[in-house]
Amino acid sequence: MADLNTDVRYLKGIGEKKALALNKLGVFSLYDLISFFPRKYEDRSRVCPIAAAMDGENVCIQAMVADTPRLNHIRRGMDLVKLRAVDDSGVVDITFFNQSYAKDNLHRGESYNFFGRIELKNGRHSMVNPVYEASDRAGQVTGRIVPVYRLSAGLNQRSIMQAVRQGLDSCLEQLPDLLPEEVQRRCRLSQARYAYENIHFPADFEALELARRRLIFEELFVLSCALGRMHRQRSFDEGIRLEARDMEEFWASLPFRPTDAQRRAVHQAAEDMCSGAVMSRLVQGDVGSGKTLVAAALIWLCARNGYMSAFMAPTEILAQQHYDTLSSMLSPFGLRVGKLTGSLSAKEKRQVKALLQQGELDVVVGTHALFSQDVEYRNLALVVTDEQHRFGVNQRSALISKGARPHVLVNSPHSGSYHLRGPGYLRNRPVASRPPKGGHLCRR
């Protein structure tokens, strides 16, 4: 049975090439893999009669192959397999592009489940490249609720589903239940094993909702406890005392007017940074609510005091997005923005690391590479962690330890990756908050 910290490349059926593709999605360990939740779901559990399928609709139909599939070679690199399938209500023409194996997989007179987009033209139904399986063996890609994941080059939905399935099978029994039994019982929450199984492969929509509710609660519960612990450990530590600056200089440079909530979040965090104590705050809000803007303002404040900042993102795609955003916001002030990710060449990494060591950068944006052992910071005063739920405590601590008690800002969506209004939903307003001594989140 695999350990939760096992590198994904050592899991059965993954290997080096697929592991590198998963790394680009922020998946490095077995725990990362089972925590790589679907971005949406397709309901393939309901079978729709052909005649009832609407144009442009994704549907699952159960139909018998009415004729022998025909393979046509259109030109080099272009093969077509065509067939006709029927049910009691009508006929559908099915075409497969560059899937010549479909000719041998589909047999006349046998019934299959097909899932795909229906096209209706001149009263005739058609499908292109549907997924399919024999009706008497349905349950893998049809006849169920199917998860849909984010992809990167070298991966498709089937390969990720298989990897997640193997990951769950190898560790589900040893998955720790982080919530106390009393909390689970009082809040009527499912167990961790049930939640992880049904967030990926839900038995029905009720099971999916139970899994989502449990995982949302767990994320915020653990976050609250972790922030409370950090606050207790750091509340009496002497931090880097910054000198206050007129933030209007920063606000005036923006091509838009900041909201009152954005100003308030920056003001609260900046007060801490100038107090002599270590600032440790959470900025919580929907995507697009301005969390990165809050971070940019505090990075600007540090730079005006002669200090540098580090901005850690969970994936290279997000790191690049934040690098572009921060560059556009900070470059008018002459601030130097660097990037350090695993995909950089060895020469590029050496150059960025040298600039960090010499204090030639005002902020560096990157992934796990930011806390590599050979990365040294000249005068690190602020650590910003984006989507903190995708980093372990040790990973965040490794980056924080690169400085002398730097200030810490944590950016978090209101409900993680689940797209639900979980506890603490902030109605699209970024709010800087910190836990009291009891460890619960509060908002000023």
Side-chain angles (χ1 to χ4, degrees):
M1 189 170 288
D3 183 86
L4 291 174
N5 294 317
T6 301
D7 194 305
V8 289
R9 61 183 156 171
Y10 300 126
L11 299 179
K12 180 180 178 182
I14 292 184
E16 197 77 35
K17 186 176 180 180
K18 191 181 292 186
L20 289 175
L22 287 169
N23 290 166
K24 292 180 180 178
L25 294 171
V27 176
F28 295 87
S29 67
L30 173 57
Y31 184 73
D32 292 335
L33 179 62
I34 65 173
S35 300
F36 185 65
F37 302 133
R39 64 182 180 86
K40 67 176 184 178
Y41 301 85
E42 290 180 340
D43 185 6
R44 304 181 187 178
S45 61
R46 294 183 297 110
V47 173
C48 176
I50 294 174
M54 306 297 291
D55 183 40
E57 184 181 13
N58 287 321
V59 297
C60 183
I61 62 173
Q62 188 174 98
M64 182 185 71
V65 175
D67 53 12
T68 301
R70 305 175 304 281
L71 174 61
N72 298 314
H73 299 285
I74 304 302
R75 62 176 184 274
R76 185 174 182 180
M78 176 63 75
D79 293 336
L80 297 182
V81 174
K82 293 187 174 183
L83 60 96
R84 182 167 296 176
V86 300
D87 67 4
D88 293 337
S89 70
V91 179
V92 61
D93 295 316
I94 298 177
T95 303
F96 294 95
F97 286 89
N98 291 332
Q99 297 184 29
S100 56
Y101 51 83
K103 179 180 182 296
D104 300 320
N105 291 345
L106 298 166
H107 306 284
R108 179 182 178 182
E110 295 187 5
S111 179
Y112 298 87
N113 285 8
F114 298 94
F115 177 83
R117 180 185 174 90
I118 284 286
E119 295 182 6
L120 185 58
K121 189 174 182 180
N122 298 326
R124 297 180 66 90
H125 291 81
S126 63
M127 270 184 169
V128 175
N129 288 346
V131 296
Y132 61 89
E133 59 187 347
S135 297
D136 59 355
R137 297 193 298 274
Q140 293 298 313
V141 294
T142 67
R144 51 172 294 183
I145 300 169
V146 176
V148 178
Y149 298 90
R150 289 185 297 112
L151 298 176
S152 67
L155 293 172
N156 56 38
Q157 294 296 334
R158 186 185 291 267
S159 63
I160 291 187
M161 284 177 61
Q162 290 174 344
V164 171
R165 180 70 272 167
Q166 291 165 354
L168 287 173
D169 290 343
S170 65
C171 73
L172 207 55
E173 293 301 319
Q174 62 169 326
L175 196 64
D177 215 320
L178 302 181
L179 298 180
E181 290 186 10
E182 171 59 26
V183 173
Q184 292 186 60
R185 187 165 52 252
R186 187 173 70 248
C187 298
R188 299 180 180 179
L189 300 170
S190 64
Q191 292 185 335
R193 288 180 294 177
Y194 180 93
Y196 276 87
E197 174 68 31
N198 284 279
I199 200 69
H200 288 289
F201 306 107
D204 50 42
F205 282 104
E206 182 180 357
L208 175 59
E209 187 61 30
L210 287 172
R212 277 174 159 171
R213 184 171 180 270
R214 155 68 196 230
L215 292 169
I216 289 171
F217 186 99
E218 179 180 299
E219 178 183 321
L220 293 178
F221 181 88
V222 173
L223 175 60
S224 178
C225 292
L227 288 175
R229 182 177 179 182
M230 287 174 59
H231 179 65
R232 288 192 296 273
Q233 291 175 341
R234 294 163 59 87
S235 58
F236 300 107
D237 289 346
E238 183 179 350
I240 299 172
R241 184 188 294 271
L242 303 183
E243 291 186 12
R245 291 289 190 272
D246 184 3
M247 296 304 301
E248 288 304 320
E249 181 184 353
F250 176 79
W251 299 129
S253 71
L254 301 176
F256 54 88
R257 183 178 178 179
T259 66
D260 291 340
Q262 290 164 349
R263 286 175 176 270
R264 185 167 58 252
V266 171
H267 176 73
Q268 291 173 1
E271 272 193 332
D272 286 357
M273 297 169 74
C274 297
S275 69
V278 176
M279 186 274 287
S280 181
R281 285 183 176 265
L282 164 73
V283 177
Q284 195 174 24
D286 285 344
V287 173
S289 61
K291 298 187 295 294
T292 305
L293 173 61
V294 173
L298 299 179
I299 292 169
W300 176 88
L301 177 61
C302 287
R304 280 290 183 261
N305 279 266
Y307 291 98
M308 69 181 314
S309 306
F311 193 117
M312 184 166 65
T315 67
E316 294 205 11
I317 293 175
L318 285 172
Q320 182 63 49
Q321 291 174 353
H322 289 306
Y323 173 79
D324 294 338
T325 300
L326 292 174
S327 295
S328 65
M329 289 183 178
L330 301 175
S331 58
F333 299 101
L335 270 61
R336 300 155 297 182
V337 183
K339 182 176 66 173
L340 184 59
T341 61
S343 64
L344 296 180
S345 66
K347 181 180 179 181
E348 291 171 327
K349 290 178 182 176
R350 286 196 301 271
Q351 291 173 341
V352 175
K353 291 174 184 177
L355 292 174
L356 288 173
Q357 190 174 21
Q358 296 162 11
E360 295 296 323
L361 293 176
D362 296 295
V363 58
V364 61
V365 183
T367 54
H368 302 73
L370 292 182
F371 54 81
S372 298
Q373 190 172 5
D374 60 343
V375 178
E376 297 180 13
Y377 297 84
R378 178 72 174 270
N379 51 356
L380 184 63
L382 174 64
V383 171
V384 181
T385 305
D386 187 51
E387 296 197 19
Q388 59 76 36
H389 59 285
R390 295 169 66 176
F391 291 103
V393 173
N394 292 337
Q395 293 172 323
R396 293 193 295 273
S397 299
L399 180 54
I400 293 171
S401 66
K402 294 290 185 177
R405 296 185 298 279
H407 304 292
V408 177
L409 184 73
V410 173
N411 283 351
S412 179
H414 68 84
S415 56
S417 303
Y418 316 105
H419 309 293
L420 286 181
R421 296 188 179 185
Y425 181 64
L426 298 182
R427 297 187 182 178
N428 208 32
R429 295 176 297 175
V431 176
S433 57
R434 61 183 177 186
K437 294 182 178 179
H440 299 290
L441 289 175
C442 69
R443 302 176 206 131
R444 290 184 173 181

